[in-house]
Amino acid sequence: EAMAVRAGWRRQGHGTALMEQLEDVLRASYDFGALTSSVGAEPFYASRPWSAWQGPVSVLAPHGVEETTLERELYVFVQPADSIDVSERLTCDWRKGDLW
């Protein structure tokens, strides 16, 4: 969570190396991964095997499912890529701090 490449170190392959490791973990251990993009990083995620989430988002809060909003673009990693409809609703677990 909250990973970034310092501005002066960008476009040297560091983000790609980090994402390759993350994607390997997701492929080996999970059905699905999600992340929100920092401002300006959308082209980076779009160039990788991540898809922009198009559907509504919500949270499973202590009192039930509640609608949420996104402040940044949400990307998902799913293998195979077409196994989830990115226009459906996506619900995350409640937690303190940023939900997405």
Side-chain angles (χ1 to χ4, degrees):
E1 185 168 340
M3 298 298 294
V5 175
R6 189 179 200 135
W9 291 83
R10 293 181 187 151
R11 306 193 76 65
Q12 296 179 35
H14 302 294
T16 296
L18 176 69
M19 293 303 293
E20 286 173 349
Q21 293 295 308
L22 171 61
E23 291 157 6
D24 286 346
V25 169
L26 291 170
R27 280 185 196 97
S29 304
Y30 299 94
D31 297 324
F32 183 88
L35 58 80
T36 51
S37 175
S38 58
V39 174
E42 295 88 352
F44 174 71
Y45 295 114
S47 72
R48 306 210 46 82
W50 293 75
S51 300
W53 192 261
Q54 304 297 317
V57 292
S58 55
V59 60
L60 180 55
H63 301 290
V65 176
E66 299 176 8
E67 296 287 322
T68 63
T69 58
L70 293 171
E71 296 176 13
R72 300 174 299 259
E73 192 75 36
L74 176 67
Y75 287 88
V76 295
F77 180 89
V78 182
Q79 293 295 315
D82 62 352
S83 63
I84 289 182
D85 183 350
V86 297
S87 67
E88 293 290 331
R89 174 173 305 284
L90 182 61
T91 303
C92 67
D93 287 330
W94 182 88
R95 64 181 182 156
K96 288 184 176 185
D98 292 336
L99 296 172
W100 300 101

